Amino acid sequence: RVLREHKEDYARHGFDLIGLITGSAAAALILYALSEAATLGWTAERVVGCGLGGIAVLGIFVLQELRSKTPIIDLGLFKRPLFVQGNLIMMPAFAMFTGFFFIFTLYLQELQGWSAFQAGLITAPASLVAAVAFPFASIYYARIGPKRMLLIGCTLSLVTLLPFGFLTAGTIVAILIVVLCVRAFPFSFASVAAQTLIYGPLESSKQGPASSAYNTMRQVSASLGVALIATVLANQTKSELGSLVSKAGATTPTAHMTRLAMQHGYQMAFFACAGLMVIPLVVSFFVDNKKAEDSLKVQLETRHQAAVAASTPAAEAGAAQAAGGE
């Protein structure tokens, strides 16, 4: 009712149907392979077949997008260093984020015995902290600067993940909630800085294509994160269980052995989540702070001038109409 219809120029000249079909097929095959890898293993025929098939179709999609006048995803965006760096920061971060919450909710249910609903209530306060942190991050972005904000956010995100590697089946819930809330704050700052790096320097006509590329990569990274972390959890649990059974000289594991093996598996999986955050931290060191700030300022000024120019004809028409009425 309120928003006016708006179409960018690139969206007025046809639709890339081949790109839609090949891009969707590639994404579906790759995401399915990654999701199944968590349970079937990376060498399962279904995983390998869908994964390789998805990569092959992805190659066709890339060729189509490079020659299309109206691409589904503008691959030219990946020629821009800030856009690439922002995505290289956010992709491992999203892989960590989804992988972490996947195994954390399992940890609460399998090791601590909470129900799914109770596990959701335990993680809820961290979401509220993140909701509060995001506006603060937006306010302080200009004061701190993109590079410093990324380095601080990624470093603290990495550090606040480490305590989860020492959780046991008997860790007090209040401690879990506090550590979760502490972890949410720096991650919000890192996310705001990285997304500003991606979208801030882009002209308005590139915002839509950038959103398509970013969200596609985010979904793939999320599935990859769950698959990787779940694989670490399963492998470490199996390895530790075999070791415990062997040391005890038993033929079958006891309930206590199984519990200890699961605890070790979760600890190693949480450490793997921390390992994923090393990638965004390393990439942050290579961000050109001055270039990021200057590019954002230029785009903000351009958008302001465009807004003023768009409002001027309306103001003049209103004044002329008023004068005619008089």
Side-chain angles (χ1 to χ4, degrees), residues 56-310:
V57 179
L58 180 64
I60 299 173
F61 170 74
V62 169
L63 293 175
Q64 168 63 20
E65 297 308 277
L66 289 174
R67 67 181 186 180
S68 175
K69 294 181 180 179
T70 56
I72 296 292
I73 294 180
D74 186 357
L75 299 181
L77 290 168
F78 292 95
K79 295 179 181 179
R80 306 191 182 202
L82 293 176
F83 182 81
V84 173
Q85 287 174 329
N87 277 283
L88 287 177
I89 291 169
M90 287 306 296
M91 296 310 102
F94 264 111
M96 176 280 297
F97 186 83
T98 50
F100 172 84
F101 273 107
F102 175 74
I103 62 167
F104 186 76
T105 50
L106 289 179
Y107 158 81
L108 290 173
Q109 294 173 73
E110 290 188 336
L111 277 187
Q112 295 225 332
W114 299 103
S115 67
F117 179 69
Q118 290 170 325
L121 292 178
I122 292 170
T123 59
S127 300
L128 297 176
V129 170
V132 172
F134 272 113
F136 277 101
S138 300
I139 293 171
Y140 284 99
Y141 178 85
R143 301 181 188 179
I144 299 175
K147 186 170 185 174
R148 280 195 298 173
M149 194 164 171
L150 281 168
L151 290 173
I152 293 171
C154 291
T155 300
L156 292 179
S157 294
L158 172 58
V159 171
T160 53
L161 277 168
L162 295 177
F164 291 93
F166 300 96
L167 296 183
T168 65
T171 302
I172 300 171
V173 175
I175 295 176
L176 294 175
I177 294 174
V178 170
V179 177
L180 274 175
C181 290
V182 171
R183 170 196 166 278
F185 207 84
F187 186 77
S188 299
F189 273 70
S191 297
V192 167
Q195 290 187 56
T196 305
L197 204 66
I198 292 171
Y199 292 110
L202 295 177
E203 55 271 29
S204 297
S205 62
K206 294 295 183 181
Q207 295 291 328
S211 179
S212 298
Y214 171 72
N215 282 291
T216 299
M217 294 177 67
R218 185 181 67 174
Q219 294 298 330
V220 173
S221 298
S223 296
L224 177 60
V226 170
L228 285 174
I229 302 303
T231 300
V232 172
L233 172 62
N235 289 343
Q236 290 296 321
T237 300
K238 183 178 179 181
S239 175
E240 182 67 11
L241 187 60
S243 177
L244 290 172
V245 171
S246 178
K247 286 179 181 179
T251 54
T252 57
T254 64
H256 179 65
M257 289 179 184
T258 302
R259 196 170 181 79
L260 284 178
M262 289 173 63
Q263 179 175 288
H264 175 78
Y266 278 110
Q267 289 173 341
M268 292 300 103
F270 285 128
F271 279 129
C273 289
L276 283 174
M277 278 307 297
V278 173
I279 301 173
L281 179 58
V282 172
V283 176
S284 298
F285 279 101
F286 295 94
V287 172
D288 189 326
N289 196 67
K290 189 176 185 306
K291 186 175 180 180
E293 290 181 336
D294 291 346
S295 298
L296 181 58
K297 287 178 182 177
V298 169
Q299 287 306 320
L300 289 175
E301 290 174 0
T302 302
R303 290 168 198 167
H304 176 70
Q305 292 171 0
V308 172

